[in-house]
């Protein structure tokens, strides 16, 4: 019987193939004592040979992924860790003074370093333990003469199952042999997820027990669009997913055909259809998928992949410059750091019992003005390379916007004083993702140049439903009247104030929500890049007048079921069959 596991979609697409289970290697190795000075001498030599080999391996991975700035950066970090003189000296001293074999010396040093990292206060540095462990495993495998990645032995395409994957393992994988990835751990923001996305390999993470449940060689389906993994699928599932895969691939092939045409409704009303991106290199693909501009550039990942990047203005600058130049003259909405909540800080023991209600997004930035200034400096410098807009997350009051505006003015003056080139101060917008921002929208608009609705958080905060909790996931519903009505309010107030308003939460790509969002008169839908072709097709069959009356009607309905039914009645005769199939499937999953 098939087993269906639900996880976090990490990289879109569908793959079907045989499971390949990757064992997680242990770092600890056996102690071997050296008896003579000659043995010590040759062990030191063996250690330096292994260092050279490991360095060579990392350099060749770095060459292979030269087209992925962030991935390359990650491997460079690993090379830096490997070359750390104190780590090398500590291992050499253990070999010399305690007469132990090189792999044992390395494992001892590693454990000490890992312990030091785990005890670090700075959450970012603490997260770097994963990189230290990764480099250490690679070095030990070379000392032991084992092929570290059984992966190199893969001869035919497989779906890779693992409890977790090290970043360098992911980066070193061959795109040809790898159909998909499923892991127990990780989140959509984990290294593995980011790299899988950049390599275009469907992936689902945070599955909890896929590594235990899967049997080597059995057929497995990865649905990286919705976040499902199906082990040993039955005929119906195989048929459904083969079709979904085909449709996805056809959509990919048709992308080039539709990419040229701008998104517009059936009656010719233009709609800005933009991309959400998580790392800079994705911008290269936006036009291929037929998108117009970037509606949300989540900048947390630049920090995630580079040690000390909080203070590394240069890394931010390079990423923004690349995106802005690539998209120019189309707009690029760069969101300032939205750390906290479930982003990188959640795995860290924290005094906060409710991190989503805690130190998150703009709150952290304003409490750390020196570090935040580095991001704003990078933004101002990069702004001269294209059409940049700056967007602030988690806004609850106008004073937050004012503070950032003042900071931008001060930083602009400093750059001018120091003769550092910069662009004009970009338009400064806000994310509306808290009920406070909706109810106070008239107070915020005079200070905000534009608005983008973050429906993911708006749903979470409105319905008091943790967006990441499996226990309440059924209650997380952006079509709830309380959410839909708030979108209506924001759209109306923005229209009255003459302010541009878009939406960048996942609701923007929900086939049943799209008619409502258009009907409310939103200027832009910003969606995950790979969903652009579908959303464009959906927009093209909707009539704007119909959308307006659907939106009006939705405001009078009592439940999300009623709202969905009302839209479904309208779209049933219009949407392509495969999209209707998906709507019905989700309806069944919701149990209605
Ligand atoms: C949102 O909350 O809808 C949003 C787009 O931001 P994020 O998902 O990054 O919190
Ligand atoms: Mg948000």
């Amino acid at each position: 019987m098939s087993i269906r596991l639900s996880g976090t979609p990490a990289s879109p697409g569908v793959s079907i193939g045989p499971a390949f289970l990757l064992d997680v290697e242990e770092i600890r190795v056996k102690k071997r004592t050296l008896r003579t000075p000659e043995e010590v001498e040759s062990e030191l030599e063996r250690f330096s040979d292994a260092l050279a080999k490991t360095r060579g391996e990392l350099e060749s991975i770095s060459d292979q992924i030269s087209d992925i700035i962030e991935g390359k950066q990650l491997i460079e970090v690993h090379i830096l860790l490997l070359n750390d003189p104190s780590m090398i000296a500590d291992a050499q001293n253990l070999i010399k003074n305690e007469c132990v074999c090189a792999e044992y010396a390395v494992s001892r040093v590693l454990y000490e370093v890992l312990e030091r990292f785990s005890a670090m206060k700075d959450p970012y540095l603490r997260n770097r333990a994963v990189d230290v462990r990764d480099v250490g495993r690679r070095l030990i495998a070379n000392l032991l003469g084992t092929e570290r990645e059984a992966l190199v032995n893969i001869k035919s395409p497989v779906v890779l199952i693992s409890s977790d994957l090290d970043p360098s393992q992911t980066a070193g994988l061959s795109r040809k042999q790898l159909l998909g990835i499923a892991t127990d751990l990780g989140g959509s923001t984990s290294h593995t997820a980011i790299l899988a996305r950049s390599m275009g390999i469907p992936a689902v993470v945070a599955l909890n027990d896929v590594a235990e449940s899967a049997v080597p060689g059995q057929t497995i389906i990865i649905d990286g669009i919705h976040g499902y993994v199906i082990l040993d699928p039955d005929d119906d599932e195989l048929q459904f997913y083969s079709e979904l895969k085909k449709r996805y691939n056809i959509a990919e092939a048709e992308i080039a055909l539709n990419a040229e045409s701008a998104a517009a409704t059936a009656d010719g009303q233009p709609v800005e259809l933009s991309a959400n991106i998580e790392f800079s290199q994705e911008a290269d693909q936006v036009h291929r998928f037929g998108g117009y501009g970037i509606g949300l550039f989540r900048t947390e990942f630049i920090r995630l992949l580079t040690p000390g990047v909080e203070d590394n203005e240069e890394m931010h600058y390079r990423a923004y410059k690349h995106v802005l130049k690539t998209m120019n003259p189309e707009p690029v909405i760069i969101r300032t750091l939205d750390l906290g909540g479930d982003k990188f800080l959640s795995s860290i023991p924290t005094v906060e019992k409710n991190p989503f209600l805690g130190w998150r997004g703009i709150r952290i930035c304003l409490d750390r003005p020196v570090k935040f200034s580095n991001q704003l400096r990078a933004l101002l410098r990069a702004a001269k390379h294209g059409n940049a807009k700056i967007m602030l997350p988690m806004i609850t009051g106008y004073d937050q916007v004012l503070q950032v505006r003042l900071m931008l003015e001060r930083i602009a003056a400093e750059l001018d004083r120091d003769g550092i080139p910069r662009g004009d101060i970009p338009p400064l917008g806000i994310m509306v993702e808290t009920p406070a921002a909706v109810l106070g929208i008239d107070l915020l608009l005079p200070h905000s140049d534009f608005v983008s609705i973050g429906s993911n958080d708006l749903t979470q905060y409105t319905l008091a439903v943790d967006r990441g909790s499996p226990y309440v996931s059924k209650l997380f519903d952006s079509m709830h009247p309380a959410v839909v009505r708030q979108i209506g309010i924001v759209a109306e107030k923005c229209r009255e104030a003459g302010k541009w308003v878009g939406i960048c939460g996942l609701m923007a790509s929900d086939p049943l929500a799209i008619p409502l969002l258009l009907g409310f008169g939103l200027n832009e839908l910003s969606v995950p890049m790979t969903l652009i072709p579908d959303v464009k097709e959906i927009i093209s069959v909707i009539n704007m007048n119909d959308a307006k009356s659907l939106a009006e009607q939705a405001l009078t309905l009592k439940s999300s079921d009623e709202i969905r039914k009302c839209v479904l009645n309208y779209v049933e005769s219009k949407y392509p069959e495969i999209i209707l199939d998906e709507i019905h499937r989700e309806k069944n999953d919701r149990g209605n």
Side-chain angles (χ1 to χ4, degrees):
M1 211 179 66
S2 73
I3 303 177
R4 186 183 174 96
L5 303 171
S6 173
T8 304
S11 177
V14 175
S15 53
I16 304 173
F20 181 93
L21 269 70
L22 185 71
D23 287 331
V24 178
E25 300 143 277
E26 259 303 315
I27 294 179
R28 218 174 263 288
V29 291
K30 266 210 184 121
K31 181 167 163 182
R32 183 167 51 84
T33 312
L34 311 172
R35 296 183 198 290
T36 63
E38 290 74 30
E39 270 188 285
V40 170
E41 208 45 49
S42 82
E43 202 61 13
L44 286 168
E45 221 168 278
R46 211 164 68 81
F47 174 59
S48 83
D49 288 349
L51 273 177
K53 186 170 181 205
T54 309
R55 206 171 287 132
E57 280 176 3
L58 290 171
E59 279 163 2
S60 93
I61 293 175
S62 172
D63 289 345
Q64 276 170 37
I65 55 166
S66 55
D67 53 331
I68 306 165
I69 293 181
E70 286 86 348
K72 202 172 164 64
Q73 193 74 24
L74 180 69
I75 300 300
E76 277 162 15
V77 168
H78 286 197
I79 295 173
L80 276 178
L81 288 170
L82 186 72
N83 289 339
D84 177 4
S86 72
M87 243 164 69
I88 296 176
D90 285 353
Q92 285 169 332
N93 285 338
L94 278 173
I95 299 171
K96 275 191 271 189
N97 303 336
E98 295 193 18
C99 297
V100 291
C101 63
E103 52 270 24
Y104 179 75
V106 172
S107 76
R108 276 256 309 262
V109 172
L110 256 180
Y111 269 96
E112 279 160 24
V113 177
L114 281 174
E115 262 178 24
R116 275 208 304 274
F117 268 85
S118 333
M120 281 177 181
K121 278 226 166 71
D122 182 318
Y124 178 73
L125 288 175
R126 205 162 34 216
N127 270 353
R128 300 276 58 81
V130 72
D131 297 312
V132 175
R133 191 192 57 187
D134 189 357
V135 173
R137 280 182 178 164
R138 188 172 283 280
L139 180 57
I140 288 173
N142 280 331
L143 279 164
L144 292 171
T146 50
E147 288 282 13
R148 177 168 183 249
E149 284 123 9
L151 295 172
V152 295
N153 297 324
I154 298 174
K155 296 287 179 275
S156 54
V158 294
V159 172
L160 186 67
I161 314 287
S162 177
S163 64
D164 200 6
L165 273 179
D166 286 336
S168 83
Q169 280 178 304
T170 318
L173 296 170
S174 147
R175 294 175 206 204
K176 281 198 198 101
Q177 308 292 45
L178 196 62
L179 299 171
I181 298 174
T183 64
D184 288 337
L185 304 176
S188 61
T189 55
S190 63
H191 293 92
T192 299
I194 295 164
L195 291 172
R197 266 199 297 273
S198 74
M199 295 157 87
I201 296 167
V204 181
V205 297
L207 286 151
N208 292 326
D209 46 12
V210 67
E212 271 224 2
S213 316
V215 177
Q218 79 178 157
T219 302
I220 179 163
I221 296 173
I222 304 279
D223 174 357
I225 305 167
H226 307 98
Y228 294 124
V229 163
I230 294 143
L231 308 174
D232 199 13
D234 60 31
D235 288 349
D236 280 353
E237 285 162 328
L238 270 176
Q239 200 190 341
F240 175 82
Y241 280 103
S242 302
E243 265 174 41
L244 189 63
K245 181 169 181 266
K246 225 189 287 162
R247 187 175 70 87
Y248 190 83
N249 293 345
I250 290 172
E252 279 258 310
E254 282 177 352
I255 284 164
L257 297 176
N258 290 327
E260 295 290 301
S261 62
T265 57
D267 50 335
Q269 303 283 324
V271 178
E272 284 178 48
L273 179 56
S274 312
N276 292 351
I277 62 168
E278 272 88 36
F279 62 106
S280 57
Q281 227 59 21
E282 278 179 292
D284 303 356
Q285 305 281 328
V286 172
H287 287 152
R288 194 170 75 80
F289 281 93
Y292 170 82
I294 309 281
L296 171 64
F297 180 11
R298 292 179 165 101
T299 57
E300 296 83 57
F301 299 86
I302 301 166
R303 182 188 191 274
L304 168 74
L305 288 172
T306 324
V309 77
E310 265 186 300
D311 308 304
N312 190 340
E313 176 187 324
E314 211 47 40
M315 191 59 200
H316 278 277
Y317 170 70
R318 270 163 52 188
Y320 304 154
K321 180 178 161 187
H322 177 81
V323 177
L324 285 162
K325 277 184 99 162
T326 307
M327 300 310 300
N328 201 27
E330 293 171 19
V332 176
I333 300 181
I334 302 172
R335 181 177 73 183
T336 57
L337 285 169
D338 184 21
L339 294 166
D342 64 344
K343 290 205 192 86
F344 321 133
L345 300 179
S346 62
S347 59
I348 292 143
T350 158
V351 286
E352 289 188 309
K353 286 231 168 70
N354 297 303
F356 273 122
L357 300 181
W359 209 42
R360 188 187 166 191
I362 193 68
R363 302 169 181 185
I364 298 183
C365 290
L366 292 176
D367 286 350
R368 292 277 181 274
V370 177
K371 286 177 178 170
F372 186 36
S373 293
N374 286 318
Q375 183 175 32
L376 296 181
R377 267 174 75 93
L379 274 164
L380 282 178
R381 286 172 54 206
K384 79 190 234 306
H385 297 288
N387 182 0
K389 294 168 195 281
I390 300 177
M391 181 159 74
L392 309 175
M394 279 292 287
I395 290 295
T396 50
Y398 77 93
D399 52 314
Q400 295 167 319
V401 189
L402 281 184
Q403 281 186 65
V404 178
R405 212 178 272 287
L406 285 176
M407 285 179 81
L408 281 168
E409 279 160 15
R410 176 180 55 74
I411 293 165
E414 281 168 12
L415 289 170
D416 293 347
R417 182 198 60 203
D418 298 339
I420 299 170
R422 67 164 173 97
D424 290 339
I425 295 180
L428 182 62
I430 56 165
M431 289 196 75
V432 167
E433 47 187 356
T434 62
V438 176
L439 294 173
I441 189 75
D442 54 323
L443 309 173
L444 289 165
L445 282 179
H447 307 282
S448 313
D449 297 317
F450 67 93
V451 163
S452 184
I453 299 170
S455 54
N456 306 336
D457 277 313
L458 186 59
T459 305
Q460 154 166 275
Y461 293 125
T462 299
L463 303 180
V465 171
D466 182 336
R467 63 194 265 189
S469 165
Y471 300 105
V472 286
S473 58
K474 275 210 163 104
L475 297 174
F476 186 94
D477 190 350
S478 299
M479 295 290 260
H480 190 291
V483 180
V484 171
R485 287 175 187 200
Q486 289 187 79
I487 292 172
I489 292 171
V490 175
E492 191 183 332
K493 294 284 180 198
C494 287
R495 191 173 44 249
E496 281 167 17
K499 295 280 162 88
W500 183 98
V501 54
I503 177 166
C504 58
L506 277 177
M507 191 181 186
S509 51
D510 176 346
L512 287 182
I514 291 168
L516 301 180
L517 302 172
L518 296 178
F520 284 133
L522 298 185
N523 300 87
E524 174 229 39
L525 305 183
S526 190
V527 305
M529 190 170 63
T530 46
L531 299 180
I532 288 173
D534 278 357
V535 176
K536 199 183 262 188
E537 198 173 346
I538 287 173
I539 292 171
S540 74
V541 298
I542 296 169
N543 184 295
M544 194 54 110
N545 282 333
D546 297 342
K548 278 184 189 150
S549 49
L550 280 174
E552 261 169 44
Q553 215 179 322
L555 295 177
T556 66
L557 298 174
K558 291 199 283 292
S559 68
S560 45
D561 283 351
E562 282 188 18
I563 296 178
R564 279 204 178 82
K565 232 179 258 164
C566 163
V567 181
L568 189 56
N569 274 342
Y570 172 71
V571 300
E572 196 112 50
S573 60
K574 296 185 180 290
Y575 281 1
E577 203 170 317
I578 189 83
I579 289 176
L580 289 170
D581 274 359
E582 226 171 277
I583 291 173
H584 288 297
R585 182 165 264 266
E586 273 169 24
K587 196 168 149 202
N588 289 340
D589 285 349
R590 271 198 316 278
N592 51 34

